[in-house]
Amino acid sequence: MAWIDVTYHVRAHAADIESVAAALALEQSVEVPADVVRDRWVRDHVMGRVDRIDPIGADSFSVSIRLALATTGLDAAQTINMLFGNSSLHEHVDLVDASFPPEFGAGYPGPRHGIDGIRRSSGVQGRPLTCAALKPQGLPVERLAALAHTFALGGIDVIKDDHGLADQSYSPFAARVAACRRALERAERETGRPCLYAPSLVGSPRALEKQARIARDEGAQMVLVAPALIGLPAFQELVSEVLDVPVLAHPSYAGAARVAPAFLLGTLFRLLGADAVIFPNAGGRFAYDAHTCAAIADRCRRPWSGRRPVLPVPAGGMSVERAAQIVHSYGDDTMLLVGGSLLSAGEEHLPARTRAFVEAVAGASASRSARAVAPAA
Amino acid sequence: MAWIDVTYHVRAHAADIESVAAALALEQSVEVPADVVRDRWVRDHVMGRVDRIDPIGADSFSVSIRLALATTGLDAAQTINMLFGNSSLHEHVDLVDASFPPEFGAGYPGPRHGIDGIRRSSGVQGRPLTCAALKPQGLPVERLAALAHTFALGGIDVIKDDHGLADQSYSPFAARVAACRRALERAERETGRPCLYAPSLVGSPRALEKQARIARDEGAQMVLVAPALIGLPAFQELVSEVLDVPVLAHPSYAGAARVAPAFLLGTLFRLLGADAVIFPNAGGRFAYDAHTCAAIADRCRRPWSGRRPVLPVPAGGMSVERAAQIVHSYGDDTMLLVGGSLLSAGEEHLPARTRAFVEAVAGASASRSARAVAPAA
C-alpha cells in the first residue's frame, strides 16, 4: 500500500480543525461522507486519512493528509486532481507540499537534461549562465533576429523569446525561429562559442507539437514553455513524448494563489520534466520574497530520488547592478535572466550594456570562488 | 484595429494607482518599460493601454485595460497568456472580466450543443434536469454500474462519473464505461426513457483522445471534463477537434484564487466549448456566495454573439430537501447535480431517495410555472 503525503495549510478555528481536516481528506479521495463508505476495501485502501495536525499560527494549521497512490492511476492530471482538485475551490485551504512514494517514480523520471545537460550544450562551466529575452513583441522578425545577434556578440549564453511571443502576424513563429537561429549561427562563427536559442512554444497540444518540430528542424537548442499556461498534463506529455532539447519553464499563469510557489514551480515543474525554471526574483517587479525564492532554488537542485537537478533562473527586475548580489545569493548553478534592463539603455548602448552584464556575472562568480578557497581570517 | 477590453481589480494606494495601472498594461503586452518601446507601430498597435480607473473601495480599484487582439494570435493559450500570464503572479491583481471584439469570434463559436442539444438528447423539456454522480471511487466496475442502474430507474436524467474516477486499477476506464453504458441501456428498456451517461475524461492530451474514442464507441452521450485541470488550451482542442457529444465542465483545480469564478467558469468555459458547467452552489460545502453563483448562471445563459446558452449545474451539498429552493432560484434551464446526499441514505433506501429527488425537482418546476402564469394578487 503506497500513500502520498500531502501538506495543506488550513485556516480554521481550533475547535473545528479536526473536522475540517477530516473533511479535506474525504474531499480529496472518496468525495462522500465517511459513513457512506461502507466497503471495507475502499475504507482501507482508497479513503484519504489525516496523518497529523500542527498549529502554525492563530486559527492556522499545517495538516498532513495521506492519499492513496492508487487513486492517481499514476497519471499527471489525475495526480493534481487528487492533490488539489475540489479543494482548490476552498478558500481556507492552501496546497503546500507533497511527497511521493517510490512506486510513483518510474513514470516521472523528471528532467532529461538538467544542469549538466545545459552546461554541456552551452559549454559553460564554473560560473552561472546568462540569459536575455527578445522583446518587445510587435517588432518584426528581422529586428528580433538583430537583437539576438547583438546579445550573442555581447557574450550571453542563452537567448529566449519573450514569453509573449507566440505565433502572431507581426513575427510568425516559423519565420522568427529561422531568422533568430541564422543570426545566432552567424554570431557563433564570429565569437567561436555557441549561444543557445529557446523559442517560446505556446498553444494547444497539437500547435505545440507543430512548433516543437519547427524548432527542432531549425536547430533550436532549447525551448521555452509555460507549464501552468498550457496545462501541466500537456506539459508532461510534450516533454516526455515530443521534445528532445532542454526545457526552460516559464511561470506564466502559475499564480494560482493557493498552491505554494516552491511546490508548483520547484517540485511539480521539475517532476514533469523542466530543465530550468524561471521565477520572479525577490526585489524585482513581482512579489515573491527571498525565502520563497530560496525554497524554489533549493527544490530545483536538491537530491531527489535520482532526478537530475535543474537550473534556477531568477528573473524579473534583474539589472546589471544587481547581478553580483544575485550570483552571491544563488551560486554558480544558476542562470540569470535579464530583460528590459538591457534594452532600456537604448540601441546604441546595448552591446556595451550586454557585455557589462556578462562580465558582472563572471566577475561575481570568480570573486565568490576566490573567497571560497581563501583561508578563514 | 481590434482590442480586448480587460477588467482587473487592483489593490493599491490612491496615490500609486495610475502608475500601477500603467505598469499592468505594459506587463500584459510589451513587457518592457514604455520608454523602451521606440517603434511607433508597436506603440500604436501592440502596447496595452489603460482605458479607465474606478475606485471600488478603500485602496481598491477597477482598472480597465485595452489589449491588442493581434497579440493573441487568436490562440486560446496565448489569449490567456495576454490576459493574465505574468500578472497572475502579482498578488495585488485579480482578473475579473474581458470582452472580446467581433474579430475574435470566428475561432471561438463556443458550445456546439448547449441547453437545446442536451434537452434534445435527454428528451427533457419544460423542467430542470437532474444529475447524479457515481461514487465513491474504489468500488469495482460492477458496483458502479449497479449504482447507475438504480439512479436511472429512479428517474435521473444524466449520470456522471465522480470527477475522481480516472483510469485506476480498481475501475479501469474502458471496463467502467462499457459496464455503465450496458446498465443504462438495460434501464432504458425498463423505463422507456433515456438516461445519459457522462464518463470522466482525465489525463494528458493523448490519453484524453483515447478515452474520448472509447466513450464514443460505447455510446456515451456526454462526457465530463475539468478544463482547468487538463489545461484550457487542451480543453479547447479536445472539444473542437475530438469530441462530438455535449461536454459537462467540472471546476476541479479551477480555484486559481485571483481569476473571478464568473469569468473563468461562466465566460471562458463557455467560450471554449462547454455545454454545461458544474459549480459549487451557495450554501453547500464550498465557498461561492449567492451573488457569484447567480453571475455564473447568468454568463452561462445570457445572449452572447450567437453562442449557444449552456446549462448551469449547481452542485456541492445538494440535497433532496434543498431541491425546490434551488429550482426557484435558477429556473428551468438548469441541471441539479446531487452527490453524497442520495448515497448517505444507504443502499436499501437509495431507489426511494432518488425518486424523491427527481419528484422534488419536477414538482418545484411545476409550481414555479403555475405561479408564473397566475394573475398577480
Side-chain angles (χ1 to χ4, degrees):
Chain A
M1 265 312 294
W3 298 83
I4 306 173
D5 289 305
V6 193
T7 307
Y8 303 93
H9 285 176
V10 177
R11 286 167 290 285
H13 295 306
D16 302 329
I17 185 61
E18 290 205 9
S19 66
V20 169
L24 178 58
L26 295 172
E27 190 68 58
Q28 291 309 118
S29 56
V30 290
E31 221 196 320
V32 288
D35 59 8
V36 170
V37 184
R38 296 188 185 82
D39 186 290
R40 179 65 188 269
W41 190 86
V42 176
R43 286 189 88 88
D44 290 349
H45 296 88
V46 174
M47 203 166 87
R49 54 193 62 174
V50 178
D51 189 36
R52 54 182 295 166
I53 299 174
D54 297 297
I56 51 173
D59 292 338
S60 179
F61 298 86
S62 175
V63 174
S64 300
I65 285 182
R66 312 196 77 190
L67 298 177
L69 181 65
T71 63
T72 68
L74 301 182
D75 175 80
Q78 175 63 7
T79 300
I80 296 159
N81 199 14
M82 291 294 95
L83 293 181
F84 208 46
N86 272 0
S87 293
S88 78
L89 303 166
H90 276 141
E91 288 193 4
H92 63 281
V93 181
D94 293 342
L95 169 63
V96 174
D97 206 355
S99 118
F100 300 94
E103 293 87 335
F104 187 75
Y108 299 91
R112 299 144 315 137
H113 302 275
I115 296 177
D116 284 352
I118 295 173
R119 287 201 178 281
R120 257 195 311 277
S121 40
S122 63
V124 176
Q125 302 293 343
R127 64 159 174 83
L129 289 87
T130 55
C131 181
L134 301 180
K135 57 165 92 177
Q137 63 164 298
L139 295 181
V141 160
E142 306 70 44
R143 301 258 315 266
L144 294 170
L147 196 54
H149 186 254
T150 303
F151 284 145
L153 290 191
I156 295 288
D157 301 310
V158 174
I159 292 171
K160 73 170 196 60
D161 282 349
D162 196 22
H163 82 283
L165 293 178
D167 193 19
Q168 296 108 336
S169 56
Y170 38 72
S171 56
F173 183 84
R176 183 173 80 244
V177 175
C180 291
R181 274 289 298 145
R182 278 195 300 271
L184 292 176
E185 282 170 349
R186 207 171 70 239
E188 183 171 344
R189 285 193 298 272
E190 290 160 44
T191 63
R193 58 181 296 271
C195 173
L196 310 187
Y197 176 43
S200 173
L201 312 188
V202 183
S204 67
R206 291 178 191 192
L208 290 168
E209 245 187 273
K210 205 173 132 197
Q211 291 168 13
R213 273 199 305 274
I214 293 170
R216 187 182 49 210
D217 292 348
E218 294 292 351
Q221 306 95 329
M222 289 185 81
V223 292
L224 178 81
V225 184
L229 183 66
I230 68 167
L232 294 174
F235 175 70
Q236 189 250 336
E237 187 171 273
L238 183 72
V239 172
S240 65
E241 303 289 329
V242 179
L243 295 173
D244 42 23
V245 293
V247 176
L248 177 54
H250 191 282
S252 179
Y253 201 58
R258 290 199 308 276
V259 183
F263 178 64
L264 182 58
L265 275 62
T267 302
L268 282 183
F269 283 15
R270 180 177 173 192
L271 179 73
L272 300 179
D275 298 286
V277 175
I278 299 173
F279 60 92
N281 196 30
R285 66 186 191 276
F286 294 91
Y288 290 173
D289 61 19
H291 175 78
T292 300
C293 292
I296 293 172
D298 175 56
R299 281 164 184 251
C300 281
R301 297 185 294 206
R302 71 186 181 192
W304 185 20
S305 308
R307 289 186 187 91
R308 294 176 205 280
V310 303
L311 275 180
V313 186
M318 180 75 60
S319 66
V320 175
E321 292 70 25
R322 286 192 69 206
Q325 174 235 319
I326 290 164
V327 172
H328 287 294
S329 303
Y330 289 99
D332 277 353
D333 277 339
T334 301
M335 180 155 72
L336 284 78
L337 168 56
V338 68
S341 156
L342 292 189
L343 298 170
S344 61
E347 256 171 67
E348 64 283 20
H349 301 297
L350 187 58
R353 184 118 176 125
T354 303
R355 214 164 303 118
F357 175 67
V358 167
E359 282 162 12
V361 172
S365 170
S367 84
R368 199 174 160 274
S369 311
R371 271 217 319 273
V373 297
Chain B
M1 265 312 296
W3 297 83
I4 305 174
D5 288 306
V6 193
T7 307
Y8 302 92
H9 285 177
V10 176
R11 286 166 291 285
H13 294 308
D16 303 328
I17 185 61
E18 291 205 10
S19 67
V20 169
L24 179 56
L26 294 172
E27 189 69 58
Q28 290 310 118
S29 56
V30 290
E31 220 197 320
V32 287
D35 59 9
V36 170
V37 184
R38 295 186 185 84
D39 185 290
R40 179 63 187 268
W41 190 87
V42 176
R43 286 189 89 89
D44 289 349
H45 295 89
V46 174
M47 204 166 85
R49 54 193 64 174
V50 178
D51 189 36
R52 54 182 295 167
I53 299 174
D54 297 297
I56 52 174
D59 292 338
S60 179
F61 297 85
S62 176
V63 174
S64 299
I65 286 183
R66 312 196 78 191
L67 298 177
L69 182 64
T71 63
T72 68
L74 302 182
D75 175 80
Q78 176 62 7
T79 300
I80 296 158
N81 198 14
M82 290 294 95
L83 293 180
F84 207 46
N86 272 359
S87 293
S88 78
L89 303 166
H90 277 142
E91 288 193 4
H92 62 281
V93 180
D94 292 342
L95 169 63
V96 174
D97 206 356
S99 120
F100 299 94
E103 293 87 336
F104 187 74
Y108 299 90
R112 299 145 315 137
H113 302 275
I115 295 177
D116 284 353
I118 295 173
R119 287 201 179 281
R120 257 197 310 278
S121 41
S122 63
V124 176
Q125 302 292 345
R127 64 159 174 83
L129 288 88
T130 55
C131 181
L134 302 181
K135 57 165 90 174
Q137 65 164 297
L139 294 181
V141 161
E142 306 70 46
R143 301 263 310 269
L144 295 170
L147 195 55
H149 186 253
T150 303
F151 284 146
L153 289 191
I156 295 287
D157 301 310
V158 175
I159 292 171
K160 74 169 196 59
D161 282 349
D162 195 21
H163 82 282
L165 293 179
D167 193 20
Q168 296 108 334
S169 55
Y170 37 73
S171 57
F173 183 84
R176 183 173 82 243
V177 175
C180 291
R181 275 288 300 143
R182 279 195 299 271
L184 292 175
E185 281 170 348
R186 206 170 70 240
E188 183 171 345
R189 286 194 297 271
E190 290 161 43
T191 63
R193 58 182 295 274
C195 173
L196 311 187
Y197 176 44
S200 174
L201 313 187
V202 184
S204 66
R206 292 180 189 191
L208 290 167
E209 248 188 91
K210 205 173 132 198
Q211 292 168 12
R213 274 200 305 275
I214 293 171
R216 187 181 52 210
D217 292 348
E218 294 292 350
Q221 307 95 330
M222 290 185 80
V223 292
L224 179 80
V225 184
L229 184 66
I230 67 167
L232 294 173
F235 175 69
Q236 190 251 336
E237 186 171 275
L238 183 72
V239 172
S240 65
E241 303 289 330
V242 180
L243 295 173
D244 43 22
V245 293
V247 176
L248 177 53
H250 191 282
S252 178
Y253 202 59
R258 290 200 307 275
V259 183
F263 178 63
L264 182 58
L265 274 61
T267 302
L268 281 184
F269 283 14
R270 180 177 173 193
L271 179 75
L272 300 180
D275 298 285
V277 174
I278 300 174
F279 59 92
N281 196 30
R285 66 185 190 276
F286 294 92
Y288 289 174
D289 61 19
H291 174 78
T292 300
C293 292
I296 294 172
D298 175 56
R299 282 165 183 250
C300 282
R301 297 185 295 206
R302 69 185 181 193
W304 185 20
S305 308
R307 290 187 187 90
R308 296 177 204 281
V310 303
L311 275 179
V313 187
M318 179 76 60
S319 66
V320 176
E321 291 69 25
R322 287 191 69 206
Q325 175 236 317
I326 289 164
V327 172
H328 288 295
S329 304
Y330 289 99
D332 277 353
D333 277 339
T334 301
M335 180 154 72
L336 285 77
L337 168 56
V338 68
S341 157
L342 292 188
L343 297 170
S344 61
E347 256 171 64
E348 63 284 19
H349 300 296
L350 186 59
R353 184 115 177 128
T354 303
R355 215 164 302 119
F357 174 67
V358 167
E359 283 162 10
V361 172
S365 169
S367 83
R368 198 173 162 276
S369 313
R371 272 218 318 275
V373 297

